């Protein structure tokens, strides 16, 4: 935070404005080393370098998919994998960032689950992911196109990283920094109910998305074990409360990963519509065909099945959209983030090995 930097430099016997200068250099100009901050006196830069680092994440690999999606495999100072995805779209671009290295939730269809939780990321590590992706896409310090969106939909469960995530959002919203306001950010949760309630009370909050994946407790228990802790009834009750914090025209999103012959029948669609209509939620449903991986025992629903499922939802008055997979060929799509290296010869076992 800007204030923290001001106090930090004051502790070094420097005036507070130097802290503001560093904040702008890091977040507005998106510089990643003190050496580049040539507006600071040289000896001050040297003293800074002794005490602090301007960047902590190292870019280990960068992959570009056929559709232009880019995936960054980053490494923390303590050698843990972090993944970030840049998704170019016709009308706007999206940066998808991770809130944790690995993930503690054991969603059966998601590859990240196989890593387990390695560590929750700090606010700084979340912001740095965005900076790395923006610099690569637009150039160091170049203006961020209006409408660029952020989604906390990478590895990890953002609501188990609630404090650092909220701090990262405040840092990113700073006018003297990135100036990306929460209204351009969507946070996706597997259903950490107490945090849905807490988010509703946050002033200037991001948009909310909820991963549903099943219309019944029986099936959701199997696919997303978090459902045993907070079953659908409690989840939807929290959503209903959250609704009071929605702005005019705002909706929240339910994500529904489409698994061939598991959760994609017309009956499932009718049950889903009934569930959402019963709670009269101001929501839309994003249907995400499953992104496959050898390690996962599921296959994506066919395109016709997805369209039929969507049609059933719409016939019951539920707004539904199909999310086309992006960056599947570089393992950048939803649920594929597991620090997989795809340079030939390196780590043929696929998943990242911790040294
Ligand atoms: N933990 C958070 C955010 C990360 S997952 C959450 O669960 O919402 C982001 C989205 O990808 C979720 O909707 C999740 O259900 C979906 N997803 C996970 N694995 C997937 C896969 N293999 N194919 C398609 N979507 C997947």
């Amino acid at each position: 935070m800007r204030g923290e930097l001001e106090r930090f430099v004051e502790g070094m016997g420097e005036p507070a404005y130097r802290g503001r200068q560093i904040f702008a250099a890091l977040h507005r100009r998106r510089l990643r080393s003190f050496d580049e901050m040539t507006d600071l006196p040289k000896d001050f830069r040297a003293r800074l370098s002794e005490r602090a680092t301007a960047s902590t994440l190292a870019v280990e690999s960068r992959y570009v998919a056929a559709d232009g999606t880019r995936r960054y495999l980053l490494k923390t100072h303590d050698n843990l994998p972090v993944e970030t995805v840049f998704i170019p779209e016709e009308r706007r671009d999206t940066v998808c960032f991770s809130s944790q290295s690995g993930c503690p939730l054991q969603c059966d269809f998601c590859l990240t689950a196989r890593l387990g939780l390695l560590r929750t990321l700090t606010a700084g590590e979340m912001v740095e992911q965005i900076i790395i992706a923006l610099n690569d896409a637009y150039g160091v310090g170049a203006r961020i196109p209006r409408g660029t969106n952020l989604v906390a939909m990478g590895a990890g469960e953002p609501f188990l990283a609630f404090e650092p995530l909220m701090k990262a959002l405040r840092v990113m919203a700073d006018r003297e920094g990135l100036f990306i306001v929460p209204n351009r950010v969507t946070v996706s949760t597997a259903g950490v109910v107490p945090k849905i309630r807490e988010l509703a009370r946050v002033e200037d909050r991001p948009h909310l998305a909820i991963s549903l994946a099943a219309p019944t407790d029986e099936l959701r228990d199997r696919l997303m074990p978090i459902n045993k802790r907070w079953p659908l009834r409690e989840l939807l009750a929290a959503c209903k409360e959250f609704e009071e914090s929605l702005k005019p025209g705002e909706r929240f999103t339910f994500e529904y990963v489409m698994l061939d012959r598991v959760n994609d029948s017309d009956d499932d669609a009718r049950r889903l519509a009934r569930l959402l209509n019963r709670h009269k939620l101001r929501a839309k449903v994003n249907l995400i065909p499953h992104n496959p991986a050898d390690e996962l025992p599921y296959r994506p629903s066919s395109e016709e099945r997805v369209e039929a499922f969507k049609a059933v939802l719409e016939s019951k008055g539920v707004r539904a959209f199909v999310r086309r997979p992006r960056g599947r060929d570089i393992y950048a799509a939803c649920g594929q983030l597991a620090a997989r290296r795809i340079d030939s010869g390196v780590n043929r076992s696929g998943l990242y090995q911790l040294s």
Side-chain angles (χ1 to χ4, degrees), residues 103 105 107 109-111 152-158 188-190 209-213 224 255-257 288-292 296 334-336:
C103 184
L105 302 181
C107 301
F109 46 80
C110 178
L111 201 57
M153 294 188 189
E157 167 50 47
S188 175
T189 181
I210 292 139
S211 301
L212 220 43
M224 300 179 69
E255 295 153 279
Y256 193 96
V257 53
I288 316 174
H290 185 247
N291 293 304
L296 298 174
C334 297
Q336 288 188 319

